[in-house]
């Protein structure tokens, strides 16, 4: 039988209690100390609520024909009615047979599952015959992928954040959109040029001609997010109706599929919203935790008052093709100025997108004399503040510089990236630059300062981040 448990994160990781024990001796679990089997058995114990002296899983619970070697664990599980299949799950045992580990086989614990189950992180001991803890990221279809998964005491709580990016590696990528508004592109189509987050944006993930023609007008928007829950960032072209009517008479969302390099359309939707007010803004993020990027119309109060007299968030539900509202909320924030920026990302790791107001200092000093991040809590429908933080950054250099959000370092916290576009003057490197503030430190420290592989952003082009 399978035991599904909701378990704190410390049930995974290097929590093994005997890291310096003699590997030739047996632990209380009756496996050799610091072997893969002993670590896996100990971790299963913690997932079952066990502890030192209270052992709920040991050799007798998995041995097969008198052997507890890793290679026997699969049959040991099957003989006890424990589910065994090819589907990874957090807390499950990743299993390799006798072809691995010098005929002994190997076991590890699945710590994270993403990319639709095609990428996993495993925690393990003794993978390199050194009796030490290790972490590996494995891709389905490679020789390193486990042969099966044993579902003994799976963890039901999900990882902190549903990871979305262009290539599914859990790092936020930067994508430059050549819109065709200020001149033709090489392909005669809207183009997406993606910089790889895993290399500090120093290399290209892809340079793609999309299925879309040129952007309709300068008032149309380009946003990025996972619309269908496949862990790939899709491109959403939003026809706002500000420069002329749409075919439906509504705000429209036209979605290019990230899984095909934006070469095919996923959907063309008339949303539940009317045309965008010139005072409003548009951002995208998973507001309700269903792993789909919702469309958020923000009433900023810049040009005209909102009904509540507050900054408002009107959320269109991705699960219904933006055809229904998730909520229409007055937030904890007052109105914002034309020089403040709005962006969205999961700042606290609760799998809900938070709304971040960035005070840039372009129109006047901030209270701290620094670039500031004021974070509205997605978990409370933006009705309360997560934090009001002075960041490590000075004021934004020019109005052409951009502020975007995404998980750059893979820690499941959205980082704040200041992009020097070069549109209003040269950057230090002569390239498009990315300066990354660390979300894990409330943007109080820098993660990196990178000159990217890209030249300056073209006039009329857009930049988005997953």
């Amino acid at each position: 039988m399978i035991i599904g448990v909701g378990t704190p994160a410390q049930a995974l990781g290097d929590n093994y209690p005997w890291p310096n024990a003699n590997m030739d001796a047996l632990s209380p679990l009756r496996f050799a100390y610091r072997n893969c089997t002993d670590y896996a058995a100990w971790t299963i114990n913690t997932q079952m609520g066990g502890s030192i002296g209270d052992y709920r899983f040991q050799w007798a619970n998995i041995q097969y024909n008198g052997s507890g070697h890793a290679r026997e664990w699969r049959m040991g599980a099957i003989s006890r009615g424990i589910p065994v299949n090819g589907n990874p799950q957090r807390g499950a045992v990743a299993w390799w047979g006798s072809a691995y580990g010098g005929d002994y086989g190997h076991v590890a614990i699945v710590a994270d599952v993403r990319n639709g189950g095609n990428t996993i992180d495993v925690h393990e001991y003794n993978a390199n015959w050194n009796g030490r803890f290790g972490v590996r990221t494995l891709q389905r279809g490679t020789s390193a992928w486990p042969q099966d998964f044993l579902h003994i005491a799976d963890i039901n709580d999900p990882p902190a954040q549903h990871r979305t990016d262009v290539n599914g590696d859990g790092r936020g990528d930067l994508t430059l959109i050549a819109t065709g508004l200020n001149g033709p592109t090489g392909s005669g189509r809207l183009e997406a040029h993606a910089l790889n987050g895993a290399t500090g944006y120093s290399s290209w993930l892809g340079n793609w001609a999309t299925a879309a023609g040129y952007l309709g007008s300068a008032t149309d928007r380009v946003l990025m997010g996972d619309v269908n829950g496949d862990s790939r960032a899709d491109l959403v072209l939003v026809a706002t109706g500000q420069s002329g009517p749409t075919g439906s008479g509504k705000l429209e969302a036209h979605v290019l599929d990230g899984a095909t390099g934006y070469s095919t359309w996923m959907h063309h939707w008339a949303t539940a919203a009317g045309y965008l007010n010139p005072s409003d803004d548009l951002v995208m993020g998973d507001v309700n935790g269903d792993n789909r990027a919702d469309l958020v119309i923000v009433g900023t109060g810049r040009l005209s008052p909102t009904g509540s007299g507050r900054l408002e968030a009107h959320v269109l539900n991705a699960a219904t093709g933006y055809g229904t509202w998730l909520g229409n909320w007055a937030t904890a924030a007052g109105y914002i100025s034309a020089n403040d920026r709005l962006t969205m990302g999961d700042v606290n790791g609760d799998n809900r997108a938070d709304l971040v107001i960035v005070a840039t200092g372009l129109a006047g000093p901030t209270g701290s004399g620094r670039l500031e991040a004021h974070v509205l809590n997605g978990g409370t429908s933006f009705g309360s503040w997560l934090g009001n933080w002075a960041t490590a950054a000075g004021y934004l250099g020019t109005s052409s510089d951009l502020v975007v959000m995404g998980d750059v370092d893979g820690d499941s916290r959205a980082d704040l990236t200041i992009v020097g576009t070069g549109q209003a003057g040269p950057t230090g490197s002569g390239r498009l630059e990315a300066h990354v503030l660390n979300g894990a430190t409330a943007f109080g420290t820098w993660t990196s300062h990178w000159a990217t592989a890209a030249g300056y952003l073209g006039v009329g082009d857009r930049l988005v981040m997953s």
Side-chain angles (χ1 to χ4, degrees), residues 17-40:
W18 307 294
N20 299 307
N22 181 357
M23 293 180 68
D24 293 325
L26 295 182
S27 82
L29 305 177
R30 296 185 60 202
F31 299 100
Y33 281 116
R34 296 165 55 195
N35 272 250
C36 64
T37 47
D38 206 47
Y39 169 76

Side-chain angles (χ1 to χ4, degrees), residues 108-125:
I109 300 293
V110 179
D112 192 15
V113 181
R114 55 189 184 275
N115 185 21
N118 292 314
T119 304
I120 62 173
D121 295 335
V122 295
H123 292 180
E124 61 196 344
Y125 251 70

Side-chain angles (χ1 to χ4, degrees), residues 178 180 183-191 193 209 214:
T185 63
S187 64
R189 313 293 296 170
L190 185 108
E191 294 180 353
H193 303 277
Y214 296 150

Side-chain angles (χ1 to χ4, degrees), residues 68-422:
H69 291 314
R71 67 182 180 232
E72 314 293 357
W73 277 42
R74 180 178 181 276
M75 286 307 301
I78 290 172
S79 68
R80 291 167 174 82
I82 294 168
V84 175
N85 56 42
N87 302 320
Q89 168 71 30
R90 279 229 310 157
V93 175
W95 178 85
W96 295 262
S98 58
Y100 297 79
D103 191 50
Y104 292 107
H106 185 63
V107 288
I109 300 293
V110 179
D112 192 15
V113 181
R114 55 189 184 275
N115 185 21
N118 292 314
T119 304
I120 62 173
D121 295 335
V122 295
H123 292 180
E124 61 196 344
Y125 251 70
N126 203 35
N128 296 317
W129 300 93
N130 61 0
R132 297 298 177 194
F133 176 77
V135 178
R136 285 186 294 159
T137 299
L138 308 177
Q139 302 289 338
R140 190 185 293 274
T142 65
S143 60
W145 187 257
Q147 292 176 295
D148 257 324
F149 298 93
L150 319 183
H151 301 281
I152 300 169
D154 292 1
I155 296 175
N156 290 332
D157 60 323
Q161 185 184 55
H162 173 69
R163 298 176 177 179
T164 300
D165 57 280
V166 173
N167 64 339
D169 68 351
R171 300 290 192 279
D173 306 304
L174 274 175
T175 304
L176 287 64
I177 309 298
T179 64
L181 287 173
N182 280 66
T185 63
S187 64
R189 313 293 296 170
L190 185 108
E191 294 180 353
H193 303 277
L195 290 160
N196 190 348
T199 66
Y201 310 119
S202 65
S203 62
W204 295 101
L205 271 178
N207 294 277
W208 299 304
T210 75
Y214 296 150
L215 204 63
S217 76
T219 61
D220 291 344
R221 306 295 177 87
V222 182
L223 301 171
M224 188 170 241
D226 183 6
V227 174
N228 63 340
D230 68 350
S231 296
R232 291 292 191 279
D234 307 303
L235 273 178
V236 183
L237 312 181
V238 183
T240 64
Q242 290 180 338
S243 296
T246 63
S248 64
K250 309 292 286 183
L251 186 98
E252 294 181 352
H254 303 276
V255 186
L256 291 160
D257 190 350
T260 66
Y262 314 114
S263 64
T264 60
W265 291 104
M266 185 182 296
H267 295 291
H268 299 276
W269 288 319
T271 75
Y275 295 150
L276 196 68
N277 187 300
S279 182
D280 294 344
D281 211 339
L282 272 174
V283 289
M284 194 167 221
D286 180 10
V287 174
N288 63 340
D290 68 351
N291 296 338
R292 284 165 172 70
D294 306 303
L295 198 56
V296 184
I297 301 169
V298 182
T300 66
R302 285 170 175 153
L303 301 177
S304 58
T306 62
S308 64
R310 314 290 300 168
L311 186 99
E312 293 181 353
H314 304 277
V315 185
L316 290 160
N317 189 351
T320 64
Y322 310 119
T324 60
W325 296 100
L326 270 179
N328 294 277
W329 300 314
T331 74
Y335 297 150
I336 61 175
S337 79
N339 288 288
D340 293 338
R341 306 292 173 84
L342 279 171
T343 186
M344 197 167 225
D346 185 3
V347 174
N348 63 340
D350 67 351
N351 212 34
R352 300 290 191 280
D354 307 301
L355 194 56
V356 182
I357 302 166
V358 181
T360 63
L362 287 173
T366 62
S368 64
R370 313 292 299 170
L371 186 103
E372 294 180 353
H374 303 277
V375 185
L376 290 161
N377 189 349
T380 64
S381 303
F382 314 118
S384 62
W385 295 102
L386 267 181
N388 293 277
W389 298 316
T391 75
Y395 296 149
L396 208 61
T398 73
S399 59
S400 69
D401 291 342
L402 301 174
V403 181
V404 291
M405 261 194 138
D407 181 9
V408 175
D409 56 359
D411 67 351
S412 296
R413 297 292 189 278
D415 307 301
L416 201 57
T417 301
I418 300 167
V419 182
T421 64

